[in-house]
Amino acid sequence: MEKLLIEGGHPLRGTVKISGAKNAVLPVIAATLLGQDRPSLLEEVPHLEDVTTISEIVRSIGAKTEYNAEKETLTVDATNLTATEAPSELVRKMRASFLLMGPLLSRYGHAKISLPGGCAIGTRPIDLHLKGFEALGAKIEIGHGFIKVEAPNGLEGNRIYLDFPSVGATENILMAASTARGQTILENPAEEPEIVDLANFLNVMGANIRGAGTNPIKINGVEKLRGQEYMIIPDRIEAGTYMLAAAMTKGDVFIENAISEHLKPVIAKLKEAGAVLYEDVNGIRVSSDKPLKAVDIKTLPYPGFPTDMQAQFMAMLSVSEGNGSIIETVFENRFMHVEELRRMGAKITVDDRRAEVIGIPELKAARVKATDLRAGAAMVLAGLVANGETTVTALHHIDRGYDRLVEKLIGLGAHIKRVEE
Ligand code: EPZ
């Protein structure tokens, strides 16, 4: 097992380039399974464990994949798939594997996937995904640890209302409806930039999707889709994480490739906290020369404040001036990082979905663990400002979603290294 050793107190300075978005590339790789007569070539594909995992899964059902780490390109040839059932040991590793259900159902009329791994941040049901498939005419069978969907007569467009704007359910329904007969109107969909990226890729493949990123989304089914070339959008959560690191360490960093449009709530809250931000077409520059002021955060579906930045902001509030509060409205159990931050001296109280943070001048280095992907990022941020050398373990969580984190932080002057336990 490896661990991170982080010596706090070094302001971050310089430029960091943001990689392709994890939460865009995963649904886009699932969508490549709809490409019937030519391979897809994806660009700006980040070096992430989750990309490796989903590539293994699509290969297990007959797709051919090739990742060029140098060029950051991934080729997926799904012209001849051999199965519509994904292996459970791989699927359990990553909830996003459930995104294969929509494309396989759409292309072959059936799919069988083991129930997605529950995640540290809550039970994360899939009822809205299944409601969408049923509305399109599929029959659902829930077995022991797996789900089977079948539509022997193909899928029929329909009007679907999502009780919650679920990102995954929106993505699965977009992919399933793309080759259904007739029109599907998806009401109350997720509006995240990653939804728009998926819809753009599907349209480049030949789909007819209008209104992604707004409410409702209209999908006019087409006969078939072809593999295509596509460039993945930059990762707004990776960008937000480095923006916070720059401000917390009283540094001055240019976050190259960050798209301001995708980060409005994060930009607003950092400005409210007293950081100085400059936005231009190539990225966002973030600096601060004094302690940040506490702010109040309430996570919401896009375009509200992103739940995937909540843990990182809690690390920031721990050492801000004043008291801040965080309300987590998207997941029912996304405060696992509180315990770890308390080990560093943070003063945090939690009541159900609300956390109150009393800012203190300094965190103390400690041995802490990543409890999930974004909590791991929060512990790294805390380590960058803590007094002493912080150890962070359970790095597999961080490797799922941060591309070359240590390398990028060292490039900004952080004193961080990854060593064997
Ligand atoms: C996506 O997860 C992201 N993952 C998550 O990012 C992100 O936190 C989340 O969207 C919200 O923005 C990927 O894109 C791979 P949801 P997803 O379906 O699709 C409930 C990260 O750190 N719900 O929008 O699983 C669910 O319980 C990860 O990069 C239902 O009730 O999120 C949750 O409370 C973490 N029924 C809420 O909706 C359903 O059928 C949001 O879930 C589906 C979801």
Side-chain angles (χ1 to χ4, degrees), residues 22-24 26-27 50 94-96 99 119 121-130 164-171 190 192 194 236-237 300-302 306-308 329-332 334 353 372-374 400-401:
K22 168 179 86 79
N23 293 348
L26 294 177
D50 275 4
M94 182 183 66
R95 174 182 164 80
L99 293 173
C119 188
I121 56 178
T123 51
R124 301 182 74 184
I126 47 172
D127 54 313
L128 297 174
H129 299 241
L130 302 179
F164 181 88
S166 153
V167 169
T170 302
E171 291 165 346
E192 275 74 358
E194 294 76 25
R236 60 192 167 99
I237 305 301
L300 287 167
Y302 196 90
T307 174
D308 291 346
T329 75
V330 176
F331 288 105
E332 81 272 11
R334 199 170 195 174
R353 291 192 179 209
D372 63 77
L373 166 55
R374 305 303 171 185
R400 290 188 52 189

Coordinates of all heavy atoms in Angstrom, one line a residue, residues 22-24 26-27 50 94-96 99 119 121-130 164-171 190 192 194 236-237 300-302 306-308 329-332 334 353 372-374 400-401, ligand 1:
K22 N -13.4 13.3 -15.7 CA -13.8 11.9 -15.3 C -15.3 11.6 -15.6 O -15.7 10.7 -16.2 CB -13.5 11.6 -13.9 CG -14.1 10.3 -13.3 CD -13.7 10.0 -11.9 CE -14.7 10.6 -10.9 NZ -15.9 9.9 -10.7
N23 N -16.1 12.6 -15.1 CA -17.6 12.4 -15.2 C -18.2 12.6 -16.5 O -19.4 12.5 -16.7 CB -18.2 13.1 -14.1 CG -17.9 12.6 -12.7 OD1 -17.3 11.5 -12.6 ND2 -18.2 13.3 -11.7
A24 N -17.3 13.0 -17.5 CA -17.7 13.1 -18.9 C -17.2 11.9 -19.6 O -17.9 11.3 -20.4 CB -17.2 14.4 -19.5
L26 N -16.5 8.9 -18.6 CA -17.1 7.6 -18.3 C -18.4 7.4 -19.1 O -18.5 6.3 -19.8 CB -17.3 7.5 -16.8 CG -16.0 7.4 -16.0 CD1 -16.2 7.3 -14.5 CD2 -15.1 6.2 -16.4
P27 N -19.3 8.3 -19.1 CA -20.5 8.1 -19.9 C -20.2 8.1 -21.4 O -20.8 7.3 -22.2 CB -21.4 9.2 -19.6 CG -20.6 10.2 -18.8 CD -19.5 9.5 -18.2
D50 N -10.6 4.9 -12.9 CA -11.9 4.6 -13.4 C -12.0 4.4 -14.9 O -12.8 3.6 -15.4 CB -12.9 5.8 -13.0 CG -13.4 5.6 -11.6 OD1 -13.0 4.6 -10.9 OD2 -14.3 6.4 -11.2
M94 N -17.0 -0.1 -9.5 CA -17.3 1.3 -9.9 C -18.8 1.4 -10.3 O -19.3 0.8 -11.3 CB -16.4 1.7 -11.1 CG -16.5 3.1 -11.6 SD -15.5 3.3 -13.1 CE -16.4 2.2 -14.2
R95 N -19.5 2.3 -9.6 CA -20.9 2.5 -9.9 C -21.2 2.9 -11.3 O -22.2 2.6 -11.9 CB -21.4 3.6 -8.9 CG -22.8 4.0 -9.1 CD -23.2 5.1 -8.1 NE -24.4 5.7 -8.5 CZ -25.6 5.2 -8.3 NH1 -25.7 4.1 -7.7 NH2 -26.7 5.8 -8.7
A96 N -20.3 3.7 -11.9 CA -20.5 4.2 -13.2 C -20.7 3.1 -14.3 O -21.2 3.3 -15.4 CB -19.4 5.2 -13.6
L99 N -23.7 2.5 -16.3 CA -24.0 3.3 -17.5 C -23.9 2.5 -18.8 O -24.3 2.9 -19.9 CB -23.0 4.5 -17.6 CG -23.2 5.6 -16.5 CD1 -22.0 6.6 -16.6 CD2 -24.5 6.3 -16.6
C119 N -21.8 3.0 -2.5 CA -20.6 3.8 -2.4 C -20.5 4.4 -1.0 O -21.5 4.4 -0.3 CB -20.7 4.9 -3.4 SG -19.1 5.8 -3.5
I121 N -20.6 7.2 -0.1 CA -21.4 8.4 0.1 C -22.9 8.1 0.1 O -23.6 9.0 -0.4 CB -21.0 9.5 -0.9 CG1 -21.1 9.1 -2.3 CG2 -19.5 9.9 -0.6 CD1 -20.8 10.2 -3.3
G122 N -23.3 6.9 0.3 CA -24.8 6.8 0.4 C -25.2 5.5 -0.3 O -24.4 4.9 -1.0
T123 N -26.5 5.2 -0.2 CA -27.0 3.9 -0.9 C -27.0 4.1 -2.4 O -26.8 3.1 -3.1 CB -28.4 3.7 -0.4 OG1 -29.1 4.9 -0.6 CG2 -28.4 3.4 1.1
R124 N -27.2 5.2 -2.9 CA -27.2 5.5 -4.3 C -28.0 4.5 -5.1 O -27.5 3.7 -5.8 CB -25.7 5.6 -4.8 CG -25.0 6.7 -4.0 CD -23.6 6.9 -4.4 NE -23.5 7.5 -5.7 CZ -22.3 7.7 -6.2 NH1 -21.2 7.3 -5.7 NH2 -22.2 8.4 -7.4
P125 N -29.3 4.6 -5.0 CA -30.2 3.7 -5.7 C -30.2 3.9 -7.2 O -29.5 4.9 -7.7 CB -31.6 4.0 -5.2 CG -31.5 5.4 -4.7 CD -30.1 5.6 -4.2
I126 N -30.9 3.1 -8.0 CA -30.9 3.3 -9.4 C -32.4 3.2 -9.9 O -32.7 3.0 -11.1 CB -30.1 2.1 -10.1 CG1 -30.5 0.8 -9.5 CG2 -28.6 2.3 -10.0 CD1 -30.0 -0.4 -10.2
D127 N -33.3 3.5 -9.0 CA -34.7 3.5 -9.3 C -35.1 4.4 -10.5 O -35.9 4.1 -11.3 CB -35.6 3.8 -8.1 CG -35.2 5.1 -7.5 OD1 -34.0 5.4 -7.3 OD2 -36.1 6.0 -7.2
L128 N -34.4 5.5 -10.6 CA -34.8 6.5 -11.7 C -34.3 6.0 -13.0 O -34.9 6.2 -14.1 CB -34.2 7.9 -11.4 CG -34.8 8.5 -10.1 CD1 -34.1 9.8 -9.8 CD2 -36.3 8.7 -10.2
H129 N -33.1 5.3 -13.0 CA -32.6 4.7 -14.2 C -33.7 3.7 -14.7 O -34.0 3.7 -15.9 CB -31.3 3.9 -14.0 CG -30.1 4.7 -13.5 ND1 -29.0 4.8 -14.2 CD2 -30.0 5.4 -12.3 CE1 -28.1 5.6 -13.5 NE2 -28.7 6.0 -12.4
L130 N -34.1 2.8 -13.8 CA -35.1 1.7 -14.2 C -36.4 2.3 -14.6 O -37.0 1.8 -15.5 CB -35.2 0.8 -13.0 CG -33.9 0.1 -12.5 CD1 -34.1 -0.8 -11.3 CD2 -33.2 -0.6 -13.7
F164 N -35.8 13.2 -9.4 CA -34.7 14.0 -9.0 C -33.8 14.1 -10.2 O -33.7 13.1 -11.0 CB -33.9 13.2 -7.9 CG -32.7 14.0 -7.4 CD1 -32.8 14.9 -6.4 CD2 -31.4 13.7 -8.0 CE1 -31.6 15.6 -6.0 CE2 -30.3 14.4 -7.6 CZ -30.4 15.4 -6.6
P165 N -33.1 15.2 -10.5 CA -32.3 15.3 -11.7 C -31.0 14.5 -11.6 O -29.9 15.0 -11.5 CB -32.0 16.8 -11.8 CG -32.1 17.3 -10.4 CD -33.1 16.4 -9.7
S166 N -31.2 13.2 -11.6 CA -30.0 12.3 -11.4 C -29.1 12.3 -12.6 O -29.6 12.2 -13.8 CB -30.6 10.8 -11.2 OG -29.6 9.9 -11.7
V167 N -27.8 12.5 -12.4 CA -26.9 12.6 -13.5 C -26.9 11.2 -14.3 O -27.0 11.2 -15.5 CB -25.5 12.9 -13.0 CG1 -24.4 12.8 -14.0 CG2 -25.5 14.4 -12.5
G168 N -26.7 10.2 -13.5 CA -26.6 8.8 -14.1 C -27.8 8.4 -14.9 O -27.8 7.9 -16.0
A169 N -29.0 8.7 -14.2 CA -30.2 8.3 -14.8 C -30.4 9.1 -16.1 O -30.8 8.5 -17.2 CB -31.4 8.6 -13.9
T170 N -30.1 10.4 -16.1 CA -30.2 11.2 -17.3 C -29.4 10.6 -18.4 O -29.8 10.5 -19.6 CB -29.8 12.7 -17.0 OG1 -30.6 13.2 -16.0 CG2 -29.9 13.5 -18.3
E171 N -28.1 10.2 -18.1 CA -27.2 9.7 -19.1 C -27.7 8.4 -19.6 O -27.7 8.1 -20.9 CB -25.8 9.6 -18.5 CG -25.2 10.9 -18.2 CD -24.0 10.9 -17.2 OE1 -23.8 9.8 -16.6 OE2 -23.3 11.9 -17.1
A190 N -30.8 16.0 -15.4 CA -29.6 16.7 -14.9 C -29.2 17.7 -15.9 O -29.4 17.4 -17.1 CB -28.6 15.7 -14.5
E192 N -25.9 19.1 -15.8 CA -24.4 19.3 -15.7 C -23.8 19.4 -17.1 O -24.2 18.8 -18.1 CB -23.9 18.1 -14.9 CG -23.9 18.1 -13.4 CD -25.3 17.9 -12.8 OE1 -26.3 17.8 -13.6 OE2 -25.4 18.0 -11.6
E194 N -21.4 17.7 -18.1 CA -21.0 16.4 -18.5 C -22.2 15.8 -19.3 O -22.0 14.9 -20.2 CB -20.6 15.5 -17.3 CG -19.3 15.9 -16.6 CD -19.5 17.1 -15.7 OE1 -20.6 17.4 -15.3 OE2 -18.5 17.8 -15.5
R236 N -14.1 20.0 -14.3 CA -14.4 21.2 -13.5 C -14.1 20.9 -12.0 O -13.9 21.9 -11.3 CB -15.8 21.6 -13.7 CG -16.9 20.6 -13.4 CD -18.3 21.0 -13.8 NE -19.2 19.9 -13.7 CZ -20.1 19.7 -12.7 NH1 -20.1 20.6 -11.8 NH2 -20.8 18.7 -12.7
I237 N -14.2 19.7 -11.6 CA -14.0 19.4 -10.2 C -12.5 19.3 -9.9 O -12.0 19.8 -8.9 CB -14.7 18.1 -9.8 CG1 -16.2 18.1 -10.1 CG2 -14.5 17.8 -8.3 CD1 -17.0 19.3 -9.5
L300 N -26.2 21.7 -4.5 CA -27.4 21.5 -5.3 C -27.1 20.9 -6.6 O -25.9 21.0 -7.1 CB -28.1 22.9 -5.5 CG -28.8 23.5 -4.3 CD1 -29.1 25.0 -4.6 CD2 -30.0 22.8 -4.0
P301 N -28.0 20.3 -7.3 CA -27.8 19.9 -8.7 C -27.3 21.1 -9.5 O -27.7 22.2 -9.2 CB -29.1 19.3 -9.2 CG -29.8 19.0 -7.9 CD -29.4 20.0 -6.9
Y302 N -26.6 20.8 -10.6 CA -26.1 21.9 -11.5 C -27.3 22.7 -12.0 O -28.4 22.1 -12.3 CB -25.4 21.3 -12.7 CG -24.6 22.3 -13.5 CD1 -23.2 22.5 -13.2 CD2 -25.1 23.0 -14.5 CE1 -22.5 23.4 -13.9 CE2 -24.4 23.9 -15.2 CZ -23.1 24.1 -14.9 OH -22.3 25.0 -15.6
P306 N -21.6 22.5 -6.6 CA -21.4 21.1 -6.9 C -21.1 20.3 -5.6 O -20.2 20.6 -4.9 CB -20.2 21.0 -7.8 CG -19.5 22.3 -7.7 CD -20.5 23.3 -7.2
T307 N -21.8 19.2 -5.4 CA -21.6 18.3 -4.2 C -20.2 17.8 -4.3 O -19.5 17.5 -3.2 CB -22.6 17.2 -4.2 OG1 -22.2 16.3 -3.1 CG2 -22.6 16.4 -5.5
D308 N -19.6 17.7 -5.5 CA -18.2 17.1 -5.6 C -17.1 18.1 -5.1 O -16.0 17.7 -5.1 CB -17.9 16.7 -7.0 CG -18.8 15.5 -7.4 OD1 -19.4 14.9 -6.5 OD2 -18.9 15.2 -8.6
T329 N -27.3 18.6 0.1 CA -28.6 18.2 -0.2 C -28.7 17.1 -1.3 O -29.7 16.5 -1.5 CB -29.4 19.4 -0.9 OG1 -28.9 19.6 -2.2 CG2 -29.3 20.7 -0.1
V330 N -27.5 16.7 -1.9 CA -27.6 15.8 -3.0 C -27.4 14.3 -2.5 O -28.1 13.4 -2.9 CB -26.5 16.1 -4.0 CG1 -26.4 15.0 -5.1 CG2 -26.7 17.5 -4.6
F331 N -26.4 14.1 -1.5 CA -26.2 12.8 -1.0 C -26.5 12.7 0.5 O -26.3 13.7 1.2 CB -24.8 12.3 -1.2 CG -24.4 12.0 -2.6 CD1 -23.7 12.9 -3.4 CD2 -24.9 10.9 -3.2 CE1 -23.4 12.7 -4.7 CE2 -24.6 10.6 -4.6 CZ -23.9 11.5 -5.3
E332 N -27.0 11.6 1.0 CA -27.4 11.5 2.4 C -26.3 11.2 3.3 O -26.4 11.2 4.5 CB -28.6 10.5 2.6 CG -28.2 9.1 2.7 CD -28.1 8.4 1.3 OE1 -28.1 9.1 0.3 OE2 -28.0 7.2 1.3
R334 N -22.5 12.2 3.0 CA -21.3 12.7 2.3 C -20.5 13.6 3.3 O -19.9 14.6 2.9 CB -21.6 13.4 1.0 CG -20.3 13.5 0.1 CD -20.6 13.9 -1.3 NE -19.4 13.6 -2.1 CZ -19.4 13.8 -3.4 NH1 -20.4 14.3 -4.1 NH2 -18.3 13.5 -4.1
R353 N -27.8 16.6 7.6 CA -27.1 17.0 6.4 C -26.4 18.4 6.5 O -26.0 19.0 5.5 CB -28.1 17.0 5.2 CG -28.6 15.7 4.9 CD -29.4 15.7 3.6 NE -29.9 14.4 3.1 CZ -30.0 14.1 1.9 NH1 -29.8 15.0 0.9 NH2 -30.5 12.9 1.5
D372 N -13.4 8.6 0.5 CA -13.9 8.5 -0.8 C -13.1 9.4 -1.7 O -12.3 10.1 -1.2 CB -15.4 8.7 -0.9 CG -15.8 10.2 -0.5 OD1 -15.6 11.1 -1.3 OD2 -16.2 10.4 0.7
L373 N -13.4 9.5 -2.9 CA -12.6 10.3 -3.9 C -12.4 11.7 -3.5 O -11.3 12.2 -3.3 CB -13.3 10.2 -5.3 CG -12.8 11.1 -6.3 CD1 -11.3 11.1 -6.5 CD2 -13.5 10.8 -7.6
R374 N -13.5 12.4 -3.2 CA -13.4 13.9 -3.0 C -13.0 14.1 -1.5 O -12.3 15.1 -1.3 CB -14.7 14.6 -3.3 CG -15.2 14.4 -4.7 CD -14.2 14.8 -5.8 NE -14.7 14.3 -7.1 CZ -14.0 14.4 -8.2 NH1 -12.8 15.0 -8.2 NH2 -14.5 14.0 -9.3
R400 N -8.7 7.2 -8.4 CA -9.9 7.0 -9.3 C -10.2 8.3 -10.1 O -10.7 8.2 -11.2 CB -11.2 6.7 -8.5 CG -11.1 5.3 -7.9 CD -12.5 5.0 -7.2 NE -13.6 5.2 -8.2 CZ -14.8 5.2 -7.9 NH1 -15.2 4.9 -6.6 NH2 -15.8 5.4 -8.8
G401 N -9.9 9.4 -9.4 CA -10.5 10.7 -10.0 C -9.5 11.8 -10.2 O -9.9 12.9 -10.7
Ligands
EPZ1 C1 -22.7 11.5 -10.7 O1 -23.0 10.4 -9.8 C2 -21.2 11.7 -10.5 N1 -20.5 10.5 -10.9 C3 -20.9 11.9 -9.0 O2 -19.5 12.2 -8.9 C4 -21.6 13.2 -8.6 O3 -21.4 13.4 -7.2 C5 -23.1 13.0 -8.8 O4 -23.3 12.7 -10.2 C6 -24.0 14.2 -8.5 O5 -23.5 15.3 -9.3 C7 -20.3 10.3 -12.3 O6 -20.7 11.1 -13.1 C8 -19.5 9.0 -12.6 P1 -26.9 11.0 -9.2 P2 -24.5 9.7 -9.9 O7 -27.6 9.9 -9.9 O8 -24.9 9.7 -11.4 C9 -30.1 9.9 -6.0 C10 -17.3 12.1 -8.1 O9 -16.8 12.3 -7.0 N2 -30.6 8.9 -7.0 O10 -27.1 12.4 -9.7 O11 -24.4 8.4 -9.2 C11 -28.8 9.4 -5.4 O12 -29.1 8.5 -4.3 C12 -18.6 11.4 -8.1 O13 -16.8 12.3 -9.2 C13 -31.8 8.2 -6.8 O14 -32.4 8.4 -5.8 O15 -25.3 10.7 -9.1 C14 -28.1 10.7 -4.9 O16 -28.6 11.0 -3.6 C15 -19.2 11.1 -6.7 N3 -32.2 7.3 -7.7 C16 -28.6 11.7 -5.9 O17 -29.8 11.1 -6.6 C17 -31.5 7.1 -8.9 O18 -32.0 6.3 -9.7 C18 -27.6 12.1 -6.9 O19 -27.3 10.9 -7.7 C19 -30.3 7.7 -9.1 C20 -29.8 8.7 -8.1

